[in-house]
Amino acid sequence: MKQLIHVIYQYKFDLILQKLLLFFLKRKPLGDIIIIESHNDFDSNGGAFYDYLIKNGYNKKYKIVWLVKNCLPKELPENVKAYSLFTPSLKKNYYICRAKYLTADCEVTGKVRNEQVSLYLTHGAFSLKNSHGRINIPESVDYILIPSEYTRGFQEKQYNPFSSTKMVVLGFPVHDMLFSELANEIQKITSKEHRKVIIWMPTFRKGGGYNRNDSNIELPLGIPVLENEKQYDELNKYLKQLDILLIIKMHPMQEKSSIKISDKSNILVLRGEDVKRLGINTYQLLKETDALISDYSSISFDYLLLNKPIAYVFSDLAEYKNGLISDAPEELMAGFIINNFMELLDFIDGISSSTDEYNEKRAELRNRIFEFCDGNSAKRLVDFLDL
């Protein structure tokens, strides 16, 4: 009953308001309005697209309406409005009824008029995990961003798009940050300097607000490979010996109670709220690291653009409900596979000694997955929309 009331309040009221407003506005021409929604409130493509629009003065012509899930920002640039994504609002729905363009990374705001243009920018260019049935693309979406023609077949199976929805290759705005100048993101986390920095970004397994659970097992510490506190202490001791910092960035939607690790001398744990509080830009942080530990997440493909070592944690693959996108995942991987604690230490040891046996394979995979390896994706999107 609570969930039913919750759904009615968050979704149905807004639909009623839209229909009422549309009755009066359907003959009124569309305005110069852009609706933007982004994963975890502008951590992804929507945020990078928004930044590009503001930096280049597009908010002088277009009213930009930002739909957020968390706290509304107190200060906004000229001609920018922010509204709660899940709170009914007459003004918000007025803009939805009048907008020329609607973009989304996660929660798609449906078109209400045929002449509007709707784009699903995605919050992960491509991933190893099978997400079929997890991502629902409404029929009203006109375009979905994909990284290349090579991935089209994979992503058609994942998204199951309607015949009217087109997949377009423009690059991803969030990747522009990987080609920007260094921003000293690590200094926001620690004042200490280390010989090497590794970032570990486990994919989402449990949480999301509706008790979703993508794993058949409960991980003892909330992350794979590590079975107990003793191993966690051993890992920190080994990192300290090698003068390596390990940053473990948890998925922002991961259930907080499942995370049973904390900071150590050479391990820093970043939760979603930490990223927000410290103002950390994830993609700029990636640039400052020497290697990535991932698993089935799209971040392993993003990291290809930096051409730095990657490890894939497969220790809980047998218990991972979603499975992988391909029966031959090795064709989509270019790095070290970690199945247990000792292999985790082996990978760290290789980073310490600057061993990089996958350099050529990474470059080959990057060129297959991404048609564009530059910092101009937001510009291509602007040109595509003819803003």
Side-chain angles (χ1 to χ4, degrees), residues 144-181:
I144 301 173
L145 293 189
I146 60 173
S148 67
E149 289 299 326
Y150 171 78
T151 69
R152 183 181 294 273
F154 292 106
Q155 294 183 289
E156 282 178 344
K157 292 178 182 177
Q158 296 302 296
Y159 295 139
N160 193 26
F162 291 89
S163 58
S164 59
T165 303
K166 297 179 176 61
M167 291 186 168
V168 293
V169 180
L170 300 172
F172 295 87
V174 75
H175 289 162
D176 292 356
M177 299 179 194
L178 298 176
F179 299 91
S180 62
E181 295 181 0

XYZ file of all heavy atoms in Angstrom, residues 144-181:
312
model
N 18.719 7.278 -29.268
C 19.531 6.712 -28.198
C 20.999 6.818 -28.618
O 21.354 6.448 -29.738
C 19.198 5.230 -27.944
C 17.721 5.054 -27.562
C 20.102 4.647 -26.866
C 17.283 3.599 -27.467
N 21.847 7.323 -27.735
C 23.269 7.396 -28.042
C 23.919 6.017 -27.889
O 23.670 5.310 -26.907
C 23.980 8.378 -27.106
C 23.642 9.862 -27.218
C 24.623 10.669 -26.364
C 23.671 10.348 -28.642
N 24.724 5.636 -28.860
C 25.543 4.434 -28.760
C 26.972 4.808 -29.154
O 27.180 5.781 -29.875
C 25.013 3.278 -29.638
C 24.977 3.679 -31.126
C 23.653 2.821 -29.156
C 24.636 2.528 -32.058
N 27.979 4.039 -28.706
C 29.371 4.453 -28.949
C 29.894 4.193 -30.352
O 30.814 4.871 -30.796
C 30.159 3.655 -27.914
C 29.303 2.480 -27.604
C 27.888 2.938 -27.744
N 29.334 3.194 -31.066
C 29.844 2.883 -32.401
C 28.890 1.929 -33.108
O 27.990 1.341 -32.491
C 31.231 2.236 -32.319
O 31.131 0.958 -31.710
N 29.099 1.752 -34.387
C 28.306 0.790 -35.149
C 28.601 -0.635 -34.684
O 27.737 -1.510 -34.759
C 28.585 0.926 -36.656
C 28.031 2.195 -37.271
C 26.514 2.301 -37.140
O 25.837 1.251 -37.200
O 26.004 3.424 -36.962
N 29.804 -0.864 -34.183
C 30.168 -2.197 -33.706
C 29.260 -2.648 -32.566
O 28.901 -3.832 -32.462
C 31.630 -2.199 -33.239
C 32.039 -3.455 -32.531
C 32.337 -4.619 -33.240
C 32.121 -3.495 -31.130
C 32.707 -5.791 -32.584
C 32.495 -4.654 -30.472
C 32.780 -5.793 -31.204
O 33.134 -6.952 -30.546
N 28.855 -1.723 -31.686
C 28.042 -2.099 -30.526
C 26.542 -2.113 -30.819
O 25.767 -2.516 -29.955
C 28.286 -1.126 -29.351
O 27.744 0.167 -29.668
C 29.778 -0.993 -29.032
N 26.139 -1.689 -32.003
C 24.707 -1.560 -32.306
C 23.947 -2.867 -32.054
O 22.884 -2.878 -31.418
C 24.505 -1.110 -33.752
C 23.033 -0.878 -34.116
C 22.889 -0.459 -35.573
N 23.483 0.842 -35.808
C 22.843 1.996 -35.637
N 21.586 1.994 -35.226
N 23.461 3.135 -35.883
N 24.478 -3.987 -32.537
C 23.794 -5.262 -32.361
C 23.613 -5.633 -30.902
O 22.540 -6.092 -30.490
N 24.663 -5.427 -30.107
C 24.572 -5.709 -28.676
C 23.492 -4.845 -28.026
O 22.671 -5.320 -27.239
C 25.909 -5.426 -27.980
C 27.018 -6.358 -28.356
C 28.039 -5.938 -29.186
C 27.047 -7.656 -27.870
C 29.087 -6.787 -29.523
C 28.082 -8.513 -28.200
C 29.104 -8.082 -29.038
N 23.495 -3.555 -28.368
C 22.620 -2.621 -27.663
C 21.180 -2.678 -28.132
O 20.266 -2.344 -27.380
C 23.210 -1.213 -27.755
C 24.528 -1.151 -26.978
C 25.151 0.220 -26.945
O 25.644 0.702 -27.951
N 25.156 0.839 -25.777
N 20.966 -3.123 -29.348
C 19.586 -3.349 -29.782
C 18.935 -4.446 -28.935
O 17.760 -4.371 -28.591
C 19.549 -3.723 -31.261
C 19.720 -2.525 -32.189
C 19.740 -2.912 -33.649
O 19.919 -4.115 -33.950
O 19.594 -2.016 -34.504
N 19.720 -5.453 -28.579
C 19.202 -6.525 -27.726
C 18.974 -6.031 -26.297
O 18.059 -6.470 -25.613
C 20.177 -7.700 -27.715
C 20.277 -8.424 -29.051
C 21.297 -9.552 -28.994
C 21.421 -10.239 -30.349
N 22.461 -11.303 -30.332
N 19.837 -5.111 -25.847
C 19.710 -4.607 -24.486
C 18.528 -3.660 -24.335
O 17.731 -3.775 -23.409
C 20.999 -3.877 -24.088
C 22.230 -4.769 -24.043
C 22.085 -5.933 -23.092
O 21.962 -5.756 -21.886
N 22.082 -7.137 -23.634
N 18.407 -2.722 -25.252
C 17.378 -1.691 -25.139
C 16.044 -2.108 -25.730
O 14.998 -1.573 -25.350
C 17.849 -0.403 -25.832
C 19.046 0.258 -25.178
C 20.070 0.804 -25.940
C 19.149 0.347 -23.795
C 21.167 1.420 -25.346
C 20.237 0.963 -23.191
C 21.240 1.493 -23.977
O 22.311 2.096 -23.377
N 16.079 -3.035 -26.695
C 14.860 -3.449 -27.381
C 14.050 -2.222 -27.833
O 12.878 -2.056 -27.473
C 14.002 -4.317 -26.455
C 12.886 -5.023 -27.213
O 13.006 -5.274 -28.417
N 11.801 -5.327 -26.529
N 14.668 -1.341 -28.623
C 14.014 -0.071 -28.975
C 12.824 -0.269 -29.915
O 12.737 -1.265 -30.635
C 15.129 0.698 -29.682
C 15.991 -0.365 -30.277
C 15.969 -1.495 -29.295
N 11.908 0.679 -29.887
C 10.786 0.670 -30.824
C 11.299 1.015 -32.217
O 12.367 1.611 -32.378
C 9.719 1.675 -30.375
C 9.000 1.269 -29.121
C 9.487 1.638 -27.875
C 7.847 0.500 -29.181
C 8.838 1.262 -26.707
C 7.180 0.121 -28.019
C 7.675 0.507 -26.784
N 10.545 0.637 -33.226
C 10.994 0.835 -34.609
C 11.213 2.302 -34.943
O 12.008 2.645 -35.814
C 9.977 0.220 -35.579
O 8.690 0.797 -35.387
N 10.512 3.185 -34.235
C 10.639 4.619 -34.508
C 11.858 5.245 -33.825
O 12.225 6.376 -34.112
C 9.370 5.352 -34.053
O 9.154 5.154 -32.665
N 12.492 4.506 -32.912
C 13.638 5.031 -32.172
C 14.930 4.731 -32.926
O 15.179 3.601 -33.315
C 13.718 4.406 -30.766
O 12.501 4.654 -30.073
C 14.870 4.996 -29.980
N 15.743 5.756 -33.118
C 16.996 5.607 -33.873
C 18.191 5.627 -32.923
O 18.227 6.408 -31.981
C 17.129 6.733 -34.897
C 16.047 6.746 -35.966
C 16.259 7.913 -36.920
C 15.240 7.892 -38.049
N 13.852 8.016 -37.558
N 19.148 4.756 -33.185
C 20.401 4.770 -32.430
C 21.417 5.592 -33.214
O 21.627 5.343 -34.407
C 20.901 3.346 -32.211
C 20.032 2.557 -31.252
S 20.748 0.935 -30.870
C 19.698 0.453 -29.496
N 22.028 6.561 -32.551
C 22.941 7.468 -33.236
C 24.309 7.457 -32.567
O 24.432 7.339 -31.347
C 22.382 8.909 -33.279
C 21.145 8.975 -34.158
C 22.062 9.428 -31.887
N 25.347 7.579 -33.371
C 26.728 7.581 -32.894
C 27.251 9.012 -32.910
O 27.529 9.572 -33.965
C 27.618 6.682 -33.776
C 29.055 6.686 -33.254
C 27.075 5.264 -33.823
N 27.333 9.617 -31.722
C 27.811 11.001 -31.593
C 28.931 11.119 -30.559
O 29.521 12.180 -30.419
C 26.659 11.925 -31.170
C 25.441 12.006 -32.107
C 24.326 12.801 -31.451
C 25.833 12.633 -33.434
N 29.205 10.032 -29.856
C 30.068 10.117 -28.686
C 29.219 10.460 -27.475
O 28.021 10.730 -27.593
N 29.830 10.474 -26.308
C 29.112 10.733 -25.061
C 29.688 11.977 -24.387
O 30.891 12.039 -24.120
C 29.221 9.527 -24.132
C 28.539 8.307 -24.684
C 29.211 7.450 -25.538
C 27.209 8.036 -24.391
C 28.587 6.342 -26.078
C 26.568 6.932 -24.923
C 27.260 6.085 -25.772
N 28.841 12.969 -24.110
C 29.336 14.221 -23.521
C 30.209 14.028 -22.292
O 31.189 14.753 -22.101
C 28.046 14.974 -23.175
C 27.066 14.502 -24.202
C 27.391 13.044 -24.405
N 29.880 13.046 -21.446
C 30.643 12.852 -20.218
C 32.098 12.480 -20.513
O 32.996 12.765 -19.712
C 29.960 11.784 -19.328
C 30.169 10.380 -19.864
C 30.436 11.892 -17.886
N 32.347 11.880 -21.675
C 33.721 11.501 -22.020
C 34.588 12.702 -22.366
O 35.819 12.587 -22.369
C 33.711 10.513 -23.191
C 33.193 9.162 -22.823
N 32.758 8.240 -23.745
C 33.038 8.571 -21.601
C 32.362 7.149 -23.127
N 32.516 7.328 -21.827
N 33.973 13.838 -22.628
C 34.758 15.044 -22.906
C 35.674 15.378 -21.734
O 36.769 15.926 -21.917
C 33.837 16.232 -23.190
C 33.078 16.079 -24.505
O 33.330 15.095 -25.233
O 32.215 16.930 -24.792
N 35.233 15.033 -20.517
C 36.018 15.335 -19.324
C 37.330 14.550 -19.291
O 38.307 14.985 -18.674
C 35.206 15.039 -18.067
C 33.946 15.863 -17.941
S 33.024 15.427 -16.454
C 31.458 16.234 -16.808
N 37.347 13.406 -19.951
C 38.555 12.592 -19.979
C 39.643 13.233 -20.842
O 40.804 12.817 -20.789
C 38.243 11.189 -20.499
C 37.250 10.369 -19.660
C 36.954 9.037 -20.341
C 37.788 10.129 -18.253
N 39.250 14.214 -21.631
C 40.195 14.903 -22.516
C 40.433 16.348 -22.085
O 41.060 17.112 -22.796
C 39.688 14.857 -23.964
C 39.545 13.456 -24.501
C 38.357 12.765 -24.372
C 40.613 12.825 -25.119
C 38.224 11.467 -24.850
C 40.490 11.531 -25.606
C 39.299 10.849 -25.464
N 39.917 16.711 -20.915
C 40.101 18.070 -20.406
C 41.354 18.132 -19.538
O 42.010 17.120 -19.289
C 38.869 18.486 -19.590
O 38.716 17.633 -18.469
N 41.672 19.314 -19.053
C 42.855 19.483 -18.211
C 42.629 18.859 -16.838
O 41.493 18.740 -16.364
C 43.165 20.976 -18.049
C 43.571 21.664 -19.348
C 43.890 23.132 -19.145
O 43.789 23.587 -17.978
O 44.231 23.806 -20.127
